[in-house]
Every structure is written in C-alpha cells, then in structure tokens.
Amino acid sequence: MSKATAVHWFRKGLRLHDNPALVAALKSEIELRPVYIFDPWYEKNVLCGPNRWRFLHQSLTDLDKSLRDIGSRLFVFRGTPEEVFTSLFSEWKVQRLTFEIDIEPYALERDEQIIKIARQEDVEVIQKISHTLYNTELVLKANMDKPPLTYQKLVSLLQSLGEPPEAVAAPKELLSEQRVSSKLLDSHDYDIPTLEDLGVDQSQLGPCLFPGGETEGLARLGRCLERKEWISTFEKPKTIPNSLSPSTTVLSPYIRFGCVSSRLTYHKINEILKVYKKHSKPPVSLIGQMYWREFYYVVASATPNFDKMIGNKVCCAVPWDENPEFVEKWAQAQTGYPFIDACMRQLRQEGWIHHLARHAVACFLTRGDLYQSWEVGQKVFEELLLDADWALNAGNWMWMSASAFYHQFYRVYSPVAFGKKTDVLGQYIRKYVPEVAKLPTEYLYEPWKASLAVQKGAKCVLGKDYPHRIIIHEDVYKNNIGRLSAAYKANKLLAQETLDEDDASSS
Ligand code: FAD
C-alpha cells in the first residue's frame, strides 16, 4: 500500500532557501516528492539558447543534489503539467500540492488549470509568494489597483507597505516520514534528461562563466556581500559596461531562475547598509536595482500584452521600420560598429552583458539607429540572455526604446563615444571583435576612418574582413528623433481622443 505524499512543484524558485511553498509541503508528516516538469509549451513559445538550457540543467542538477542531501530527490517529468498531475495525483496519493506564485500570463493560466484538477482530486493546494520582494497584488492594491507607471511611485508604494518579508530558512534533514524510499532514490525513471536528450545544440555553447544552481548563486552572493564598501557605494550608472570582468553583481541569472532569493539578497544588502550610514540610495544603489525588478514585475502583472506593443496600454504605438536584414546583422554582431558588435558577441557567447551594454545595443536597434521594433530585440535577448525574464526583458526594452516609462527619446547613445568613455584603449573590442584587434587604437571604435593602407596593415579591410557600417549614425539619429517625436504626438492625440470619447460616454 503506497503512502500519501506532498508534492512541491519547482518552476522558478530552484532553491531550498527562502522557499516558503517548499516549507509548506513539509508541514504534515507525509512523504515529500519535489517535482520539475519540462513543459512543451515553453519549448514552443519561448526562445531559449543553449547557454540558458545549460544554466537550467546545472540548476536542476544542483537542486537534485541538495534535495538528496536532506533525504529526498527531484522527480523530473516531460509533458504538459495537466497530463503529469492528472496521473500523479492518484498514482502518488497526493494530499498536498505546493508551488511558488508566478505572475507570467501563461503561468497563471496553467496554474488555474492545475488547481481545478487538484480540487477534483481533493488535493490541497498551497501557493506562496517568493519570487518578488512583495506580493504584487498588495502593491497594486495600495495604488488603487492601478499599475504605478513611475519608479518613484513604486518606491513610495513599497515604503508604505513596510519591509518585505524576511527570507525563510532552508529545510534541514527531513523527518523519516517525509523521506523518499531508497527504491525511488535509486530509480532512473525520474532523472534529469541530459542536454542531448533535451535536443540542445551543444556545439553552440559558450564558455561557462556563470554556472547555474543555488550553490553557485549563494556563493556568488556571498562574494558580493564580502565587498561591503562596494555594496554601500554602488551606483549603477558609474559601473562600466565594457570592463573585461563584470562591474555589477551578475546575480541576475540566479535571481531569474530563483537559485538565489531576491528577498535574501535584499535583506543581506540592507544589513550592510545599516552599518555604512552614508550609502548610495535608489534608484542607483543595489537596493535600487532590486526595486527596478519589482517595478517591472508589478506593472507587468497588471498590464495585458506587456510584451507587445499592440494591446499594451502602457506602450507608445510607434510605426517602426521592418528590415529583417538590419535585425539579422545586429543579432549576429555584424553592424560594422565594433562596440555594438562586441556587446552582441559577448551576449551570444557568454549569455550576460552589462546593463549599459544592453542600453547601447537596444538603443542602436530601436530609436537610435536602425529604427526596428523593440519586440524583435526582445526576442533576440529572450534567446541569448541567461537571465531572460519575461517581465524584465519587456519592461527594459520598452524603457530603452522610449516606448514606456522613459520619454527622453532625444537622448541617444552614440555607438562610438559611449563605449570609448570607459574603455579608451578598446580592450573589450579587441577581445570580442578580433577582426579589428590589430587596428591602431584611434580607429578601433571607428574603423571606417582608417585609410585603406592602415586597414590592409591591420588585416582588417572593410567589406572583406569586417563589415562596412550598416548605417551612418550621424546621418540617421536626428531623423529618428523626429520620427519618434511625431509618434509621441500621434499617441497624445489618440490618448486625447480616447479621453474625449470617455468623457462623452460618461456624460
Ligand atoms: P546588478 O546591477 O548587480 O543588479 C542586481 C539585480 O537587480 C539584478 O540581478 C536584477 O535582478 C536587478 N536589476 C538590475 N537592474 C535591473 C533593471 N534595469 N530592471 C530590472 N531588474 C534589474 N534583467 C533581467 O534580469 N532579465 C532580463 O531579461 C533583462 N532584460 C533587459 C533588457 C534590456 C534591453 C535592458 C536594458 C535591461 C535588461 N535587464 C534584464 C535589466 C538589467 O540589465 C539586468 O538585470 C542587469 O544588467 C543584470 O546584471 P547584474 O545582476 O549584475 O545587475
């Protein structure tokens, strides 16, 4: 006769620490069976490059090991959650199902469906918030159920709610009733599929600079926290987009997959700030960065079609150009602007680039130079970033294309001067764009200024060894500013007409 079980369903939140839903699964003295499901919906609908697959795989492997250390394991399935749970609920005599709340649109629909099935089977469902600092619904409630559209507004709402909950401790050794039988521990039926089984093209993997998993993530957080002075004086715009080793924490992939809890990070940083009284402040401080994350999560949770221009209330409608060749050259780092190409190559190879490097390439693709929709840039980032996160990716793309939240569309990044400010010698370019590496430093950012003789001497003949620049920044950016200004005016007119209509219909 098999025993009753409690299932904790891991989705994001791939950790034992600060996992209130996992702790809730342990409240009764029944066997704990932690589950992870490879859901084909994601494979069909979300672009995921090999580097992120590897990060996920490493995170699951680490999680399985940590669970085994306390007397359980990870049970991995491939299939739709509906199919998996429909059979598991009876097969495993599931009494309780727990999981972390996920505000992404597909996740909400999926969970509603699973809750329905659970009810039919008399399975208790417990959901907990632990991906964000705050309960996004409470933040919205404090703003009369409307998404706050400025960062300052968000911060004042968060402050009105007090400090976010403390991180919950990781479960230690399980009680004997909660432990998984040795037969199941040894069974290979529920093993994590290999990258090969998952169909990942491993020839495209880059160097593994940021291995996935809670253990790695907590170690990284620990190393950051040791630099107390740095934490207390951290100011985002003063960090360097093109330094050869990261100038920010690179916690983003770990926080995105939930290998590291945002609440733990927040409270640990705050402990340091209590000692260093003259610390930096939001929006530029590290706590400020955590608030940016919260900002996009809160707005995304209350904005239908947040990742699209059409049907998205917060997004300015812009008639962007459609030039697939431009997009391809940008995505494949062949724009002829070495700084832009260096950033895009670092992204493709390593899966992470600095925030301001993201700014530079996003501005270049959209309002600055190529005038392509932010949605296509979002898709490329979705594929290549280790930290690709639905709410943050869309929110930041809207920001940088000046489609929402940020409206100084006339402040355009120069694809030459911006990178030069922090890397005059162009070491970053030399590393990632070896074709131009032998050019004298004065031409590294602007190879088109080098004479043919210099180009030949450096084995970097434009059009042969490295592309001519895709557009001439000086010629296009002012025109683009004018086009965006016209789009803003059209949106204002439209907004005014809608208001007039609303007034007319309410009077
Ligand atoms: P740190 O500066 O050390 O900040 C600590 C943490 O704060 C980050 O790990 C992250 O969780 C959060 N954070 C920092 N900046 C932001 C921000 N602007 N918005 C939201 N959260 C922030 N970040 C993602 O995590 N996933 C994405 O898909 C993503 N897409 C982006 C797309 C564009 C076009 C741009 C301009 C930015 C994007 N960002 C995204 C935000 C930001 O660039 C990264 O979070 C940050 O660079 C990660 O590096 P870090 O961990 O060293 O950040």
Side-chain angles (χ1 to χ4, degrees):
M1 185 59 180
S2 61
K3 293 188 293 179
T5 61
V7 168
H8 175 71
W9 181 14
F10 282 102
R11 301 99 64 89
K12 294 172 183 167
L14 301 179
R15 61 173 186 262
L16 298 200
H17 75 277
D18 194 28
N19 195 335
L22 174 66
V23 172
L26 291 167
K27 283 272 156 61
S28 52
E29 296 177 8
I30 50 175
E31 191 176 312
L32 171 72
R33 295 210 182 157
V35 158
Y36 183 85
I37 302 171
F38 282 99
D39 176 349
W41 186 90
Y42 284 100
E43 282 161 54
K44 261 193 229 127
N45 295 288
V46 180
L47 294 175
C48 180
N51 286 334
R52 194 160 78 252
W53 269 116
R54 174 173 63 189
F55 190 95
L56 170 62
H57 194 268
Q58 290 165 334
S59 302
L60 294 175
T61 306
D62 182 58
L63 188 60
D64 183 44
K65 182 181 177 309
S66 305
L67 287 165
R68 285 176 187 271
D69 287 346
I70 61 170
S72 188
R73 67 165 292 179
L74 195 59
F75 292 84
V76 179
F77 296 88
R78 293 179 82 175
T80 68
E82 285 95 325
E83 284 161 4
V84 172
F85 283 119
T86 302
S87 57
L88 279 194
F89 284 154
S90 56
E91 207 180 297
W92 282 3
K93 293 196 167 56
V94 178
Q95 276 189 2
R96 174 179 293 175
L97 171 70
T98 68
F99 53 82
E100 179 183 68
I101 287 181
D102 184 343
I103 58 89
E104 292 186 21
Y106 166 69
L108 289 171
E109 259 176 50
R110 172 199 64 194
D111 293 351
E112 203 181 299
Q113 192 61 25
I114 298 303
I115 292 169
K116 225 189 254 167
I117 300 172
R119 276 211 195 105
Q120 285 158 7
E121 297 295 321
D122 225 7
V123 175
E124 179 192 15
V125 177
I126 300 178
Q127 308 174 70
K128 298 276 182 188
I129 288 156
S130 47
H131 192 60
T132 43
L133 296 175
Y134 291 83
N135 177 344
T136 53
E137 281 182 14
L138 289 183
V139 183
L140 290 169
K141 209 164 163 208
N143 199 39
M144 292 183 298
D145 289 322
K146 283 197 299 251
L149 295 185
T150 67
Y151 179 85
Q152 281 318 325
K153 182 71 195 167
L154 185 271
V155 173
S156 73
L157 293 170
L158 299 188
Q159 281 165 354
S160 75
L161 294 172
E163 287 290 300
E166 289 290 338
V168 176
K172 297 259 168 1
E173 198 66 22
L174 300 185
L175 302 173
S176 60
E177 298 80 2
Q178 295 166 336
R179 296 169 76 95
V180 169
S181 70
S182 57
K183 189 169 158 230
L184 276 179
L185 284 176
D186 294 341
S187 165
H188 293 301
D189 295 349
Y190 309 103
D191 282 356
I192 304 164
T194 60
L195 284 179
E196 202 178 347
D197 293 339
L198 291 164
V200 177
D201 180 0
Q202 295 181 65
S203 69
Q204 299 302 311
L205 285 170
C208 185
L209 302 184
F210 312 109
E214 180 179 18
T215 308
E216 278 286 342
L218 287 178
R220 183 163 201 96
L221 174 64
R223 288 195 296 277
C224 290
L225 294 170
E226 278 169 15
R227 301 169 64 195
K228 295 188 169 57
E229 185 81 34
W230 178 72
I231 294 270
S232 69
T233 55
F234 183 98
E235 289 191 14
K236 187 61 154 286
K238 292 190 184 156
T239 53
I240 299 172
N242 42 8
S243 62
L244 292 184
S245 48
S247 61
T248 53
T249 65
V250 196
L251 285 171
S252 52
Y254 301 95
I255 295 179
R256 181 259 176 246
F257 279 97
C259 302
V260 170
S261 142
S262 59
R263 289 175 179 176
L264 179 75
T265 307
Y266 174 95
H267 286 294
K268 288 283 179 198
I269 294 171
N270 251 346
E271 275 171 27
I272 295 176
L273 302 188
K274 277 182 196 140
V275 180
Y276 289 77
K277 298 277 185 229
K278 275 194 177 163
H279 56 77
S280 52
K281 300 234 158 50
V284 294
S285 62
L286 262 178
I287 292 292
Q289 305 314 306
M290 306 303 293
Y291 285 167
W292 279 115
R293 178 174 182 272
E294 213 64 13
F295 173 65
Y296 291 121
Y297 261 91
V298 171
V299 184
S301 73
T303 308
N305 300 310
F306 189 68
D307 59 345
K308 298 180 182 63
M309 181 177 82
I310 294 173
N312 177 349
K313 266 192 180 166
V314 304
C315 181
C316 177
V318 177
W320 300 106
D321 290 342
E322 274 182 48
N323 184 333
E325 202 187 316
F326 273 5
V327 175
E328 187 61 10
K329 286 194 168 153
W330 173 82
Q332 296 300 334
Q334 295 291 331
T335 66
Y337 279 94
F339 174 61
I340 298 297
D341 291 343
C343 296
M344 291 304 290
R345 290 187 197 188
Q346 186 191 14
L347 173 62
R348 190 170 287 277
Q349 287 162 25
E350 298 170 12
W352 181 91
I353 50 175
H354 185 279
H355 182 62
L356 296 176
R358 298 180 200 208
H359 270 200
V361 298
C363 185
F364 187 86
L365 178 72
T366 58
R367 64 192 170 83
D369 294 272
L370 304 182
Y371 218 71
Q372 303 299 301
S373 161
W374 61 269
E375 285 180 56
V376 294
Q378 173 187 232
K379 273 282 161 203
V380 173
F381 270 31
E382 180 181 293
E383 180 189 352
L384 299 180
L385 279 172
L386 291 176
D387 61 36
D389 176 302
W390 179 77
L392 306 190
N393 200 19
N396 276 286
W397 270 100
M398 279 189 268
W399 173 287
M400 202 9 81
S401 60
S403 299
F405 316 120
Y406 175 81
H407 304 292
Q408 296 176 12
F409 55 82
Y410 41 86
R411 293 183 65 175
V412 168
Y413 286 83
S414 155
V416 171
F418 181 63
K420 228 186 226 178
K421 265 196 311 199
T422 44
D423 180 22
V424 186
L425 298 178
Q427 282 165 333
Y428 178 75
I429 289 179
R430 284 202 161 91
K431 174 170 178 188
Y432 290 102
V433 192
E435 302 97 293
V436 302
K438 291 205 175 77
L439 281 172
T441 303
E442 61 187 300
Y443 301 120
L444 267 185
Y445 285 85
E446 303 168 279
W448 53 88
K449 287 196 172 163
S451 67
L452 190 58
V454 171
Q455 292 180 22
K456 278 186 178 159
K459 296 198 172 33
C460 179
V461 174
L462 295 189
K464 177 171 162 270
D465 303 306
Y466 183 65
H468 289 288
R469 54 182 169 159
I470 185 172
I471 41 87
I472 298 180
H473 173 73
E474 309 81 275
D475 291 350
V476 296
Y477 86 91
K478 285 193 184 130
N479 187 36
N480 288 347
I481 291 175
R483 295 174 79 187
L484 209 46
S485 168
Y488 265 52
K489 280 191 193 121
N491 275 265
K492 244 193 203 150
L493 274 179
L494 201 67
Q496 192 51 51
E497 276 168 22
T498 319
L499 273 181
D500 292 347
E501 268 175 30
D502 284 353
D503 283 352
S505 57
S506 61
S507 60

